[in-house]
Amino acid sequence: DRNEKVDGYNDYRRMLEDKSLDVVCIATPDHWHVPLAAFSVIAGKDVYVEKPLSHTISEGRLLVSLARKHGRIIQHGTQARSSEGLMDAVEYMQSGKLGKIRMAKAINSQLRGPIGSVPDSEAPAHVNYDLWLGPAPKRPFNRNRFHYKWHWFWAYGTGDTGNDGIHQIDIARWGLGVKLPKAVSCSGGQLFYNDDHETPDTQVATFEYDDVYLMYEMRLWTPYPLEGHDNGNIFYGDKGTVSIGRKGWQV
């Protein structure tokens, strides 16, 4: 609305040379999150990086180390924590009104259609495909591995767990007030898709803490809500439950 001139860049390296920039916001495909965040911090910028932060735990630890070394801020984009409604829900749960909470569910239940099978082709003329690939393995261009659909390929994305499910897992951890689990088990696969997808369409995971369990359920083939939610959370206490969804929360 302020009608300010904004510079555009075809190469992030040229952008990071601009000493007037204070903060870099990263909303690229997942495989670029860590390299861009690292280069930005080294260049003296603070960073907001979309979820998921990284593909691996070691990559996340690298960014923590770099932020401390260079005295910069890195904020992770699980933006549900900025919701006033969710803040109220978490405050309610942590007040003890649900009694002892012994289990929480993170639910990702929705219908995502198939993407089909598409042959490799030439990249569009306006796309610097080598730069787009960046740290990912070199392979021919394919439109099923490009805009948005890159989520479903391991070299670039993290499936719908890292796309949508990460929000519900984060809300569950927030509501429970927990940090690192002592054990995690997970299984999943493709029970629905028969196309170019690499990542699961069905997945379950259990995060085990000393006195509470966090359960994650993902189904990408259900055109109906699970326990009232397509994406949401349920917290089970010995005095009641809290249910959280896109439209709010209820006891």
Side-chain angles (χ1 to χ4, degrees):
D1 291 340
R2 294 185 298 181
N3 199 30
E4 293 183 1
K5 179 180 179 296
V6 178
D7 293 327
Y9 298 88
N10 293 322
D11 190 323
Y12 71 91
R13 290 167 291 193
R14 305 290 80 79
M15 180 189 71
L16 293 180
E17 292 172 354
D18 187 342
K19 302 298 184 183
S20 70
L21 297 180
D22 299 315
V23 181
V24 174
C25 179
I26 300 170
T28 63
D30 298 349
H31 70 293
W32 264 112
H33 286 186
V34 169
L36 285 177
F39 296 145
S40 299
V41 165
I42 292 170
K45 320 295 186 187
D46 294 324
V47 171
Y48 178 95
V49 56
E50 264 286 7
K51 53 75 191 168
L53 179 67
S54 63
H55 268 85
T56 66
I57 293 173
S58 60
E59 288 178 339
R61 289 174 174 166
L62 170 65
L63 290 186
V64 171
S65 175
L66 285 173
R68 289 172 176 167
K69 177 180 178 180
H70 294 275
R72 308 317 307 176
I73 296 170
I74 298 178
Q75 181 175 348
H76 184 215
T78 44
Q79 64 268 24
R81 296 206 179 210
S82 299
S83 164
E84 292 185 2
L86 288 179
M87 292 178 192
D88 291 341
V90 170
E91 182 180 3
Y92 180 90
M93 287 185 289
Q94 295 182 352
S95 71
K97 294 178 181 178
L98 287 186
K100 173 60 180 173
I101 299 175
R102 293 187 171 86
M103 180 178 288
K105 278 187 180 178
I107 301 166
N108 179 10
S109 175
Q110 56 185 301
L111 177 60
R112 286 192 181 276
I115 62 174
S117 297
V118 176
D120 295 339
S121 62
E122 293 295 321
H126 65 280
V127 174
N128 185 336
Y129 183 57
D130 284 341
L131 188 59
W132 188 92
L133 281 174
K138 188 174 179 63
R139 64 191 302 186
F141 177 85
N142 187 295
R143 60 185 174 88
N144 255 359
R145 298 192 294 267
F146 198 47
H147 283 325
Y148 198 81
K149 296 176 184 177
W150 55 260
H151 280 290
W152 322 133
F153 296 88
W154 290 119
Y156 325 112
T158 48
D160 214 44
T161 295
N163 181 40
D164 271 355
I166 189 171
H167 291 296
Q168 279 64 56
I169 294 171
D170 182 59
I171 292 168
R173 293 179 60 252
W174 182 22
L176 294 175
V178 295
K179 294 185 178 180
L180 294 177
K182 63 182 183 181
V184 179
S185 60
C186 179
S187 63
Q190 291 190 18
L191 307 183
F192 175 60
Y193 298 129
N194 183 23
D195 56 18
D196 286 344
H197 270 87
E198 292 180 353
T199 56
D201 56 47
T202 307
Q203 191 171 7
V204 293
T206 302
F207 300 77
E208 182 181 349
Y209 299 88
D210 287 337
D211 57 355
V212 67
Y213 280 81
L214 193 168
M215 315 292 289
Y216 171 66
E217 302 182 17
M218 183 186 80
R219 299 174 182 84
L220 301 185
W221 38 266
T222 48
Y224 51 83
L226 174 65
E227 298 192 52
H229 300 291
D230 53 356
N231 287 302
N233 293 83
I234 302 177
F235 295 83
Y236 301 93
D238 54 21
K239 294 182 180 179
T241 65
V242 161
S243 175
I244 298 173
R246 295 181 188 269
K247 297 181 180 179
W249 63 283
Q250 62 183 9
V251 180

